[in-house]
Amino acid sequence: MPRKLLTAEVLPSLVEERLDTWGKAIRAQRMQQRITAEDLCTRLGVSRGTLRRLEAGDPGAGAGTYLTALLTLGLEPIATPALSSDYWRVPGQRVKHTQHERADAKLAYF
């Protein structure tokens, strides 16, 4: 069994709450849509243990797995609205540092 990289102790409380909410929503929608755990596991391509971790809001479960589960159950547009391109679009110019900033960075490196 792989070692968990994320634990609840190192996550901000907002992230913990969001994962917990997503887990509860995944379980509730699975039950409401009358999808068995085995069937959802097959659709997601995950083990029963991973589904249990998702439904429990475990931070060690992969973000891609959470998003795939939300998408499969029809929750993705509500649970994770798309970001405006203003947040991820890269401006056309590179950041240019002044000569003084470059010198400070070199000193800090060594």
Side-chain angles (χ1 to χ4, degrees):
M1 178 189 254
R3 192 179 92 208
K4 285 171 64 170
L5 300 176
L6 290 176
T7 61
E9 294 83 38
V10 298
L11 293 175
S13 60
L14 178 63
V15 174
E16 285 182 58
E17 291 170 13
R18 187 64 49 94
L19 291 174
D20 185 56
T21 301
W22 284 357
K24 288 176 182 175
I26 289 167
R27 179 166 173 73
Q29 284 300 304
R30 178 176 67 79
M31 301 296 278
Q32 186 176 355
Q33 295 177 28
R34 303 174 77 74
I35 299 171
T36 65
E38 292 76 23
D39 188 28
L40 186 57
C41 288
T42 302
R43 291 182 194 186
L44 299 176
V46 300
S47 68
R48 180 69 179 104
T50 299
L51 180 59
R52 268 194 300 273
R53 290 173 52 205
L54 286 175
E55 291 181 347
D58 187 334
T65 308
Y66 273 106
L67 294 174
T68 302
L70 292 168
L71 179 66
T72 301
L73 295 168
L75 296 171
E76 188 271 334
I78 300 163
T80 59
L83 285 174
S84 166
S85 64
D86 295 337
Y87 293 107
W88 54 265
R89 187 177 14 198
V90 179
Q93 284 186 312
R94 292 178 48 190
V95 176
K96 296 183 180 179
H97 296 285
T98 65
Q99 188 175 10
H100 181 64
E101 290 171 328
R102 285 192 301 267
D104 288 346
K106 285 182 182 178
L107 290 174
Y109 182 75
F110 296 103

